Amino acid sequence: MIIRKSAVEIEQMSRAGRLVSDVLALVGESIRPGITTAELDAIAEERIRSRGGIPSFKGYRGYPASICASPNEMVVHGIPGPYALASGDILSVDCGVTLGGFVGDCAYTFPVGEISPAAQRLLDVCQAALAAALEQCRPGNRLSDIGHAVQTVTEAAGFGVIRTLVGHGIGRSMHEDPQIPNYGEPGRGPVLAEGMVFAIEPMITAGSYDVVLHDDDWSISSEDGSLAAHFEHTVAITSAGPRILTSHPKCTFALPVEEPARKAG
Ligand code: MF3
Ligand code: CO
């Protein structure tokens, strides 16, 4: 069952969302060659707690940290640790914050120092895929229109959409119905309606879309070792169109879709 949120609840969710985007912006400012992913996690947790939030990931099914930090070919769920970033790396950082009883979930893949044109293109395409998916988050569209948008943008660029990891509904729990695949035929599934709130999260690779789970039972990497990217926003479906909740004016990585043009036709 998809739990729809009232206008008041969406306002509350926007506060959790703003905090998590503020945390990701801070992590982005802190990224430099030499810093470890454990240090980035400590920076994130300190900011979350100092603003009255709770790191939603910490303790979730036993997950030990406040962020996921997944370098290079790692797609998601990298556990922060002694890995020190090097110039040329990309680092996917995912963070969830609970504030006022609601969860915000957001991810961004950061370049570290100078990265290759190929890596930059992967990041650009993943962001474009997310933007296209968010654009579909309007009353009257169907759930599968979201994944179809991700797949279309990603495959047009020659990249692969991971099949076994999905976006999700979000609210008082981090994971609510529905699951939101990043691929599929358009026009299928539930009709999108005002008050639905989704975490949309394309996860793509520069090579094949098969992934492997590491021995820590969390980290997931591309099977062929190709670079991976992950961008995520929490978005509310409103009568005025998609409202991104994990974006705020000072956020350095806000996507240019805050006030999207209405779809023609
Ligand atoms: N942000 C992830 C998601 O959207 C959750 C990370 S799993 C955790 O599903 F264990 F780290 F919380
Ligand atoms: Co998520």
Side-chain angles (χ1 to χ4, degrees):
M1 186 200 50
I2 302 177
I3 302 169
R4 289 166 66 178
K5 282 78 184 175
S6 68
V8 169
E9 289 172 322
I10 288 173
E11 243 357 90
Q12 292 172 313
M13 289 197 74
S14 78
R15 284 196 279 279
R18 270 197 301 278
L19 177 53
V20 73
S21 36
D22 175 68
V23 170
L24 271 194
L26 176 66
V27 169
E29 287 161 19
S30 308
I31 282 177
R32 53 174 169 74
I35 197 165
T36 67
T37 54
E39 289 173 305
L40 294 174
D41 182 60
I43 288 167
E45 180 167 4
E46 204 280 319
R47 172 63 60 94
I48 293 167
R49 294 197 190 279
S50 75
R51 299 283 164 89
I54 298 165
S56 317
F57 292 4
K58 208 164 190 173
Y60 177 84
R61 299 185 181 201
Y63 188 75
S66 299
I67 62 170
C68 300
S70 310
N72 299 323
E73 76 287 348
M74 197 178 285
V75 185
V76 286
H77 302 170
I79 298 174
Y83 181 77
L85 299 179
S87 184
D89 282 351
I90 58 174
L91 182 72
S92 297
V93 180
D94 191 351
C95 189
V97 167
T98 307
L99 186 72
F102 286 98
V103 184
D105 192 1
C106 191
Y108 193 91
T109 303
F110 295 98
V112 182
E114 286 291 307
I115 64 171
S116 70
Q120 186 60 54
R121 191 165 156 266
L122 182 71
L123 304 191
D124 292 346
V125 168
C126 195
Q127 286 199 80
L130 175 56
L134 292 167
E135 169 60 29
Q136 293 300 318
C137 292
R138 299 172 178 282
N141 282 354
R142 297 266 186 166
L143 186 67
S144 77
D145 295 337
I146 296 170
H148 181 71
V150 171
Q151 183 175 21
T152 301
V153 171
T154 303
E155 291 183 352
F159 297 142
V161 169
I162 289 155
R163 301 299 201 263
T164 53
L165 296 158
V166 295
H168 49 93
I170 184 167
R172 292 189 183 274
S173 300
M174 179 162 66
H175 294 143
E176 296 182 354
D177 286 343
Q179 295 197 352
I180 308 174
N182 288 306
Y183 65 97
E185 295 297 317
R188 308 276 165 86
V191 176
L192 305 185
E194 208 175 328
M196 294 179 179
V197 183
F198 295 157
I200 312 274
E201 44 184 324
M203 291 157 273
I204 73 172
T205 80
S208 131
Y209 57 67
D210 290 317
V211 292
V212 287
L213 177 67
H214 291 252
D215 289 341
D216 63 15
D217 267 346
W218 278 107
S219 329
I220 293 173
S221 290
S222 65
E223 189 170 52
D224 63 6
S226 58
L227 283 181
H230 177 208
F231 289 84
E232 177 178 23
H233 271 307
T234 299
V235 59
I237 294 169
T238 80
S239 57
R243 177 174 172 198
I244 299 169
L245 303 180
T246 40
S247 180
H248 67 85
K250 284 198 298 191
C251 189
T252 52
F253 57 84
L255 290 161
V257 286
E258 278 268 75
E259 260 143 17
R262 294 204 66 87
K263 193 158 75 175

